[in-house]
């Protein structure tokens, strides 16, 4: 589904990604872990097409197409979804209006008719149930005044509404209480299908109890330095990152 | 507003140009260009006015001749040549219309193009509309229904003929003919406008609405609006404006006077969409308007305006809070694009005790435009416990435009509380990125964010107007990102 | 008719002012003469003088009547080099301070044109010129100018301050007048903060109750520089400050703080302009004060952001407490922005002390007066916290205390 090869990227002249390679196939769940500042959010931002980053080398193909050639909204319309680490507030724009606009833009790009108000509302009802999002939140302004946990849940709600091919979740679990964590995981799992894939960026193994990853990667200093199965997450939780750093120094 | 989505908006966006820029081919009767006593007498005669009104005009004209055009506003333009303007242009027609059916078909078509087909409006919204084209009022619907309640809603000329005492009693009491250069000019040469009177204790059951349109070439539009809400009355009044696309600058110098007597409430909403000139700043309306309201005890006046048109706007809808416990409100969205210039804001004059005012102003500048908020909050000595809250935000879309804030705060009472806040910033990059990540195009994302940013003001408008205003915002900002 | 008035206003003023005896060139004097004739003194018709009326100057009588009062302990800083300017004239203590000049030959007196009529008036009747220069390896780090007015005279100094590349300097401008003093101060200052320099100015207006004090500072900032100016208007009949800061280099920081405590019939007017000509700068302004009796305060803060001056963060705030039925507060914060990638904001509040808070303190046993005093001090405290000069802060603090007891 997505193939990242030897990706190098700078911001303000500073190299953040230093040859990152990652391959995600349909139906898979990949977890990316790594210390603060390793470049996890940078990777997510580049996938979504944030323009501040300069790609100095490497390539990314998404469903066979050159992802880097596409604009942010084109990537979204192709089915790439980013759940933001820090979702932004948009005052005065209701969640519902926002999502309807997004959904219709995506449909239009695919040559489909706009969704009818009735269908749309039905969809909102169905999806907000999955993430147990209070219907009041759906009619409030996008993320405005939402608590940290509500923002994260709203990201998953939007993901459910837009039904992407590839979802990138950037620390969607941080700031969530136990229940919210379960709900978010439920949302992600309910979208899981042989046609979809997700990349889950997290610091905590506890999320991976709920969303079981096929692969766990360690992103350190701009590179994937270790890849393993679910057990790697447990090991990291237990031992921290120092042993990996040491391993790297040895080799 | 919820049922209106961005998709409908897209259709409107297809045609980027000024969509009201057509000329209606109705025969107009005009008088010679220029301004002198003779012209004023001629206008007065043509309108079969009483002697006192002619006198009023002539006094105003004399005062005007001694005045100089104000220059303090943050706008630059070539001053109009007052001798090159035609001060009277009326669609030639037999007489006043008795019913909608009598209206000239061309005229009806104009109205339809403006999106204000009266028939439709009658059915759908129950809005009573007065249509002023080139200074003369051509149709007022719903008159009889209003009459039953004792509400007078008619053209200014009709009011002069039919209710001279009412007009004479109130006209010029809030905006005296000596008020300013353009108010004086208006008092001398005004040709028509709207008049509205709501009797004691009556709640006007429908929105009253006037549409102004400048059609004929080389004319100025000088209309007067006078709204009087008697004790305990309520009225919501809407005003919309358009003009055809022309290379010349046409002058619009209107005067609006509102009087809210004890316990009365007037809500006055404007969607101003005069022709703004083309991309290079050629043509467009000079919109120099004096709007002011007076509140007696416990009365309330609320101004809401969405300003997207005109080449130059100079406009400060104000409230004189004379009565104790009276309330003034000003909600404004002003959008400027290309070479438009707007200097707009309000004055809240607190005279009475416990008076309260709220100012919410949202400025959006794009292209090479200049957009200024200018406001005065004045608390007089006796205005005990007066309160004011002002919030003035400016949004910048390009690096060629300007956004300016000039608030004047004057306080002479120690129990008053005044709070003013202003911010100026660029449209949020993070917000744009967020929208785009969800698949929304940049253009649409901007319209979404800007509409959200103006929500507080748009919410003040009646539903149909709000939808119209949203569309206008999007159209005005087309291709504005720098 | 108007012509005649104009003549009168200027001439009556000039008549009571002694012409300058500093060695200005004839052409410079002529230039200023012409400027003055052209501009005349500002009137309330000028937007910048809308709230401040200079008519009182007409009634000024500089009779030089000596006051019996001896000013004591006027100096504030113990670590600063001191220069005393008594009744407008530099008192020569024969001390040589590195980087400071107070004596002039016709060759070295700087001739900088100001922009207004008051600047021209300042030149024509200039009573002292002082130059201060801080340099990276100089030993002078702090200078205090103490202006003492004990007789009713005119004091028209010109001050030139330069903070050279990479240097750091502090200047205290300390204006003191005996309580009944009726002097006329008219000060033009020219300040240059070069690249990577850091200059702080502390200005104290502690004038006599009938004194006029009109001042202008023209500041320009080079890249990576920091400039701070703290202004305290404590007493005087009329105090007017015009502060023009041109930020000409990138990455500058500009801080303006002000506090005013007005009572009696005093009139205080602070006009500030920060002109961001270039990108990536930060400015912050905070002016707060209390107005009692028949006093009037005027605040006018302007922030300009020129075209292409992107990434400017500018904040401006003015807060007033009006304590009397007869006082007046006029506040006009302005933003003029011509670049888009900016974050600018301003706020202005005018109100009274929080009744709830007064009540709370009284319920804890404080008298009403004490409670109000405490709250006013807390209100002004926000500005005092910004002062990084210990002695200046404690001086101002003490003056605020006095304001309530005197
Ligand atoms: N706009 C920027 N300018 C300069 N440096 C940046 C910028 N954005 C990110 N960085 C730097 O890039 C590095 C990687 O940041 P990134 O946000 O990708 O880390 P992360 O792995 O997501 O960390 P965390 O676990 O804390 O979320 C950090 O050192 C960060 O400071
Ligand atoms: Mg991160």
């Amino acid at each position: 589904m997505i193939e990242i090869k030897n990706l190098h990227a700078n911001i303000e002249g500073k190299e953040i990604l230093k040859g990152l390679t990652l391959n995600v196939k349909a139906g898979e769940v990949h977890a990316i872990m790594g210390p603060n500042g390793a470049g996890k959010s940078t990777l997510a931002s580049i996938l979504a097409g944030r323009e501040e980053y300069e790609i100095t080398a490497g390539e990314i193909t998404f469903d066979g197409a050159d992802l880097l050639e596409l604009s942010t909204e084109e990537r979204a319309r192709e089915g790439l979804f980013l759940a933001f680490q820090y979702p932004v507030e948009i005052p005065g724009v209701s969640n519902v209006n926002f999502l309807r606009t997004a959904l219709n833009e995506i449909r239009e790009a695919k040559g489909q008719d706009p969704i009818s108000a009735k269908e749309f509302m039905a969809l909102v009802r169905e999806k907000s149930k999955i993430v147990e999002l209070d219907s009041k939140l759906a009619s409030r302004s996008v993320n405005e005044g939402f608590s940290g946990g509500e923002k994260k849940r709203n990201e998953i709600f939007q993901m459910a509404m837009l039904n992407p091919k590839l979802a990138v979740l950037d620390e969607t679990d941080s700031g969530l209480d136990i229940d919210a964590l379960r709900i978010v995981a439920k949302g992600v799992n309910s979208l899981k299908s042989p046609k979809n894939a997700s990349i889950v960026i997290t610091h905590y193994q506890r999320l991976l109890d709920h969303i079981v990853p096929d692969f766990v990667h360690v992103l350190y200093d701009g590179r994937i330095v270790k890849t393993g199965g679910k057990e790697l997450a447990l090991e990291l939780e237990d031992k921290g990152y120092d042993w990996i750093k040491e391993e790297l120094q040895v080799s | 507003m919820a049922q209106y989505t961005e998709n409908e908006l897209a259709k409107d966006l297809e045609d980027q140009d000024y969509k009201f820029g057509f000329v209606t081919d109705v025969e107009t009767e005009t008088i010679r260009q220029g301004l002198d006593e003779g012209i004023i007498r001629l206008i007065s005669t043509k309108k079969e006015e009483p002697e006192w009104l002619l006198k009023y005009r002539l006094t105003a004209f004399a005062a005007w001749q001694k005045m100089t055009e104000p220059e303090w506003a943050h706008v630059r333009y070539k001053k109009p040549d007052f001798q090159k303007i035609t001060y009277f242009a009326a669609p030639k027609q037999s007489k006043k219309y008795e019913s909608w059916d009598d209206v000239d078909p061309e005229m009806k078509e104009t109205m339809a193009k403006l999106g204000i087909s009266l028939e439709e409006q009658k059915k759908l919204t129950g809005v009573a509309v007065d249509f002023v084209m080139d200074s003369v009022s051509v149709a007022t619907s719903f008159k009889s229904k209003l009459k039953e309640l004792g509400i007078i809603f008619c053209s200014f000329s009709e009011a002069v003929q039919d209710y001279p005492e009412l007009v004479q009693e109130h006209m010029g009491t809030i905006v005296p003919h000596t008020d300013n250069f353009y108010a004086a000019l208006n008092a001398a040469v005004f040709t028509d406008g709207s008049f509205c009177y709501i009797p004691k204790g009556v709640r006007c059951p429908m929105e009253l609405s006037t549409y102004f349109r400048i059609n004929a070439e080389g004319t100025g539009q000088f209309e007067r609006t006078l709204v009087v809400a008697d004790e305990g009355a309520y009225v919501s009044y809407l005003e919309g404006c358009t003009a055809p696309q022309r290379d010349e600058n046409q002058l619009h110098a209107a005067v609006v006077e509102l009087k809210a007597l004890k316990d009365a409430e007037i809500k006055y909403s404007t969607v101003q969409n005069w022709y703004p000139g083309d991309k290079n700043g050629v043509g467009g309306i000079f919109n120099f308007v004096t709007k002011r309201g007076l509140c007696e005890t416990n009365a309330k006046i609320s101004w809401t305006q969405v300003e997207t048109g005109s080449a130059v706007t100079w406009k400060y809808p104000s409230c004189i809070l004379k009565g104790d416990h009276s309330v003034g409100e000003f909600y404004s969205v002003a959008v400027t694009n290309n070479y438009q210039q707007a200097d707009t804001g309000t004055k809240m004059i607190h005279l009475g005790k416990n008076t309260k005012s709220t100012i919410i102003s949202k400025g959006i500048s794009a292209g090479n435009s200049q957009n200024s908020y200018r406001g005065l909050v004045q608390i007089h000595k006796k205005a005990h416990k007066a309160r004011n809250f002002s919030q003035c935000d400016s949004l910048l879309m390009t690096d060629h435009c300007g956004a300016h804030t000039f608030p004047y705060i004057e306080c002479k009472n120690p129990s008053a509380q005044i709070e003013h806040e202003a911010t100026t910033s660029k449209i949020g990059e993070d917000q744009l990125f967020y929208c785009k990540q969800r698949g929304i195009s940049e253009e649409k994302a901007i319209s979404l964010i800007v509409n959200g940013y103006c929500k507080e003001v748009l919410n003040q408008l009646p539903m149909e107007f709000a939808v119209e205003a949203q569309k206008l915002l999007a159209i005005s900002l087309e291709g504005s990102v720098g | 008719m108007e012509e005649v008035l104009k003549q009168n206003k200027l001439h009556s003023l000039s008549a009571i002012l002694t012409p300058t005896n500093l060695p200005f060139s004839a052409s410079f004097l002529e230039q200023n003469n012409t400027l003055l004739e052209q501009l005349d003194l500002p009137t309330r018709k000028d937007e910048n003088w809308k709230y401040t009326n200079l008519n009182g100057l007409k009634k000024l009588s500089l009779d030089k009547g000596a006051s019996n009062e001896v000013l004591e302990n006027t100096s504030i800083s113990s670590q600063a080099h001191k220069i005393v300017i008594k009744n407008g004239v530099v008192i020569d203590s024969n001390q040589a301070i590195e980087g400071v000049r107070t004596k002039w030959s016709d060759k070295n007196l700087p001739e900088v044109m100001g922009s207004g009529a008051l600047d021209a008036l300042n030149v024509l009747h200039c009573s002292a010129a002082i130059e201060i220069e801080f340099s990276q390896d100089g030993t002078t780090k702090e200078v205090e100018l103490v202006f003492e007015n004990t007789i009713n005279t005119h004091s028209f100094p010109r001050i030139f301050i330069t903070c050279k590349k990479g240097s750091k300097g502090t200047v205290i401008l300390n204006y003191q007048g005996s309580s009944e003093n009726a002097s006329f101060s008219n000060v033009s200052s020219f300040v240059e903060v070069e690249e990577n320099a850091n200059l702080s100015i502390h200005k104290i207006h502690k004038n006599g109750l009938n004194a006029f004090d009109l001042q202008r500072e023209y500041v320009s900032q080079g890249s990576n520089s920091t400039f701070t100016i703290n202004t305290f208007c404590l007493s005087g009949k009329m105090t007017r400050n015009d502060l023009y800061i041109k930020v000409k280099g990138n990455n500058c920081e500009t801080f303006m703080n002000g506090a005013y405590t007005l009572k009696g019939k005093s009139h205080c007017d602070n006009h500030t302009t920060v002109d961001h000509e270039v990108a990536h700068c930060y400015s912050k302004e905070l002016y707060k004060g209390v107005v009692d009796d028949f006093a009037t305060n005027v605040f006018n803060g302007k922030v300009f952001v020129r075209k292409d001056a992107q990434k400017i963060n500018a904040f401006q705030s003015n807060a007033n407490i009006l304590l009397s039925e007869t006082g007046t507060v006029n506040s006009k914060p302005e933003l003029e922005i011509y670049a888009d990638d900016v974050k600018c904001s301003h706020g202005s509040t005018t109100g009274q002390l929080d009744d709830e808070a007064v009540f709370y303190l009284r319920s804890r046993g404080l008298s009403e007066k004490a409670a109000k005093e405490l709250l006013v001090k807390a209100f002004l405290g926000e500005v005092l916290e910004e002062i990084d000069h210990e002695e200046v802060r404690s001086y101002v603090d003490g003056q605020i205390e006095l304001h309530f007891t005197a």
Side-chain angles (χ1 to χ4, degrees), chain B residues 268-281:
Chain B
Y268 196 100
S269 314
T270 307
V271 173
Q272 186 266 108
N273 184 30
W274 295 114
Y275 177 52
D278 68 6
K279 286 220 149 39
N280 304 312

Side-chain angles (χ1 to χ4, degrees), chain A residues 41 85 170-171:
Chain A
S41 294
Q85 183 172 5
D170 191 358
E171 294 194 24

Side-chain angles (χ1 to χ4, degrees), chain A residues 51-75:
Chain A
E51 278 157 14
E52 293 95 291
Y53 297 91
E54 189 197 351
I55 314 292
T56 51
E59 55 185 82
I60 307 176
T61 42
F62 181 50
D63 259 356
D66 183 355
L67 186 78
L68 297 175
E69 282 299 305
L70 301 178
S71 70
T72 298
E73 58 269 35
E74 283 165 341
R75 296 176 196 199

Side-chain angles (χ1 to χ4, degrees), chain B residues 4 21 41 77 95 203 210 260 276 350 407 410 414 461 470 475:
Chain B
Y4 180 79
R41 284 180 191 281
Y77 59 94
K95 260 287 149 197
R203 221 188 134 79
T210 302
H350 291 255
E410 304 176 3
L461 292 170
Q470 281 203 353
I475 293 167

Side-chain angles (χ1 to χ4, degrees), chain C residues 158-371:
Chain C
R158 291 172 77 70
I159 303 169
F160 305 91
I161 302 170
T162 309
C163 207
K164 292 288 206 191
K165 261 182 210 172
S167 68
K168 188 170 181 342
T170 300
V171 176
I172 298 169
L173 301 173
N174 181 4
Y175 297 86
Q176 299 276 338
S178 51
S179 61
E180 291 307 318
N181 186 270
S183 290
F184 176 20
S185 299
N186 178 25
V187 189
S188 297
S189 303
F190 303 89
V191 179
E192 195 64 52
V193 189
E194 297 186 354
E195 275 169 52
N196 294 305
N198 183 339
L199 177 68
S200 297
I201 294 181
H202 305 281
K203 262 176 84 171
I204 316 286
H205 300 268
K206 175 90 184 77
N207 291 310
L209 296 182
N210 293 306
F212 280 78
D213 189 359
L214 314 177
Q215 306 207 0
R216 294 152 306 281
E217 276 102 22
Y218 299 93
V219 183
S220 107
Q221 275 188 265
S223 49
N224 299 306
S225 67
T226 302
F227 175 66
T228 306
I229 182 161
N230 300 323
T231 306
F232 305 99
C233 303
L234 304 168
S235 60
K237 184 181 178 83
M238 175 176 287
T239 310
R240 161 81 180 218
N241 285 306
D242 282 280
L243 173 60
Y244 303 95
I245 304 174
K246 271 190 177 298
V247 187
K248 293 180 167 167
N250 295 310
N251 301 313
C252 288
E253 291 188 320
T254 310
F255 302 96
M256 294 151 281
N257 301 299
Y260 37 91
T261 49
L262 310 180
K263 59 181 174 182
K265 285 186 176 168
S266 62
H267 180 107
C268 171
D269 182 346
N270 281 295
H271 268 60
T272 67
T273 303
V274 190
D275 192 347
H276 286 286
E277 295 187 344
V278 295
H280 291 280
C281 290
Y282 176 82
S283 67
K284 181 167 174 265
E285 176 167 28
L286 175 68
Y287 272 70
K288 284 181 121 178
V290 285
V291 177
D292 206 345
D293 300 340
F294 294 88
T296 297
N297 187 67
V298 181
F299 171 82
N300 182 185
K302 282 194 188 116
V303 175
F304 280 102
V305 178
R306 301 283 169 185
K307 194 168 174 326
D308 300 327
Q310 303 292 4
K311 306 269 179 211
I312 298 291
N313 282 351
F315 303 98
Q316 190 189 57
S317 166
N318 174 226
N320 299 285
I321 289 181
L322 183 53
L323 292 170
S324 75
E325 300 280 334
T326 42
T328 302
V329 168
N330 296 314
S331 173
K332 192 180 167 213
E334 294 177 54
L335 300 172
E336 251 186 81
I337 317 279
Y338 298 90
D340 67 332
D341 195 0
V342 298
K343 273 208 185 82
C344 300
S345 69
H346 68 216
S348 165
T349 60
T350 301
Q352 54 283 303
L353 294 172
D354 182 357
D355 283 345
E356 283 292 311
V358 174
F359 180 76
Y360 179 82
L361 291 175
R362 288 174 68 191
S363 78
R364 292 292 176 270
L366 273 77
S367 72
E368 184 170 342
K369 187 167 175 292

Side-chain angles (χ1 to χ4, degrees), chain B residues 77-118:
Chain B
Y77 59 94
K78 193 169 165 288
K79 288 180 186 163
D81 181 346
F82 295 99
Q83 296 307 333
K84 288 241 170 77
I85 293 173
T86 307
Y87 289 86
F88 186 79
K92 214 182 242 169
Q93 18 113 345
S94 39
K95 260 287 149 197
K96 272 178 262 164
Y97 304 102
E98 281 312 310
S99 79
W100 178 239
D101 298 332
D102 299 339
V103 177
D104 184 345
E106 280 271 5
M107 194 93 71
K108 280 190 189 169
E109 205 181 302
T110 301
M111 286 184 244
K113 278 192 211 165
L114 291 169
I116 48 159
S117 144
L118 293 189

